[in-house]
Amino acid sequence: AQSVTQLDSQVPVFEEAPVELRCNYSSSVSVYLFWYVQYPNQGLQLLLKYLSGSTLVKGINGFEAEFNKSQTSFHLRKPSVHISDTAGYFCAVGLSGNTGKLIFGQGTTLQVKP
Amino acid sequence: EAQVTQNPRYLITVTGKKLTVTCSQNMNHEYMSWYRQDPGLGLRQIYYSMNVEVTDKGDVPEGYKVSRKEKRNFPLILESPSPNQTSLYFCASSPDRGYNSPLHFGNGTRLTVT
């Protein structure tokens, strides 16, 4: 069965430090990959997505992610975080041949400290 | 402003008392979906709808009903709520079910069933 694993439930980091949020998936078919962000008391919004092409994907707010097919990973990175990046981050996988269905990871809470 | 509106934002009820959570979108989206968010489990799909009068089960449909009589509305109905349905619920919509179109989420409904 397909699954998505976010290895860290919480990631504390100081402001202006770099951060990496990890995401691994398991699937026997081709996948599409997404990162969504959830600010406090809000719904999720799309941060970035990988559908095809370049494996390095840039999103909003300075975030980027790299699709690594051999390691079945799609880690999210930002070189310098801000207090305003404090939020929940969800990795999601869409399966080819099953258009539209997303499988979400457990989520990682990024806590940016001053 | 393009948005997905859920009501109420917070709801406390007792076991067995029927309730409805409303969801409305003003973007003329074809696809709508309900998710529940639980700690450590991420988001799980309850039901989705491809268009008016077309609904289908997601991963955790037990104990829930939906209807899609109009394109803009997609209410979630709990006929006899139980404590295990205490959760944070999100409605989402998209122009279609394809992966090119991101999901637009509402701000969530926090339901407590005692």
Side-chain angles (χ1 to χ4, degrees), chain B residues 18-67:
Chain B
K18 181 179 178 180
L19 65 91
T20 299
V21 183
T22 64
C23 173
S24 180
Q25 50 93 4
N26 62 359
M27 297 168 279
N28 201 37
H29 284 172
E30 302 276 337
Y31 179 76
M32 298 186 74
S33 182
W34 276 102
Y35 294 86
R36 60 178 289 174
Q37 182 181 3
D38 301 290
L41 296 177
L43 276 76
R44 293 178 292 168
Q45 191 178 49
I46 303 171
Y47 269 94
Y48 64 93
S49 169
M50 300 280 282
N51 210 327
V52 175
E53 301 293 1
V54 181
T55 64
D56 210 344
K57 296 177 180 179
D59 297 316
V60 288
E62 294 79 19
Y64 305 94
K65 286 175 58 178
V66 292
S67 69

Side-chain angles (χ1 to χ4, degrees), chain A residues 38 49 51 95 99-101, chain B residues 37 59 90 97 99-100 106:
Chain A
Q38 183 181 28
K49 64 183 177 184
L51 300 181
L95 307 176
T99 307
K101 180 176 175 63
Chain B
Q37 182 181 3
D59 297 316
F90 287 101
R97 203 187 173 193
Y99 292 122
N100 278 311

Side-chain angles (χ1 to χ4, degrees), chain A residues 18-75:
Chain A
V19 70
E20 178 180 82
L21 305 183
R22 296 179 292 171
C23 173
N24 287 86
Y25 67 91
S26 66
S27 174
S28 57
V29 299
S30 298
V31 298
Y32 307 101
L33 297 157
F34 306 81
W35 276 98
Y36 278 83
V37 59
Q38 183 181 28
Y39 297 107
N41 298 313
Q42 295 185 26
L44 283 72
Q45 55 184 279
L46 183 67
L47 202 54
L48 50 79
K49 64 183 177 184
Y50 169 80
L51 300 181
S52 64
S54 172
T55 57
L56 183 62
V57 180
K58 295 189 184 299
I60 60 173
N61 301 336
F63 284 93
E64 63 179 33
E66 186 159 20
F67 171 48
N68 187 320
K69 189 174 182 180
S70 62
Q71 296 188 4
T72 60
S73 67
F74 191 55
H75 300 334

Side-chain angles (χ1 to χ4, degrees), chain A residues 4-12 19-24 35 75-76 87-91 105-111, chain B residues 40:
Chain A
V4 180
T5 302
Q6 292 181 243
L7 297 168
D8 305 299
S9 59
Q10 294 188 358
V11 173
V19 70
E20 178 180 82
L21 305 183
R22 296 179 292 171
C23 173
N24 287 86
W35 276 98
H75 300 334
L76 181 70
Y89 292 82
F90 291 87
C91 181
Q106 303 92 326
T108 297
T109 299
L110 176 63
Q111 301 163 323

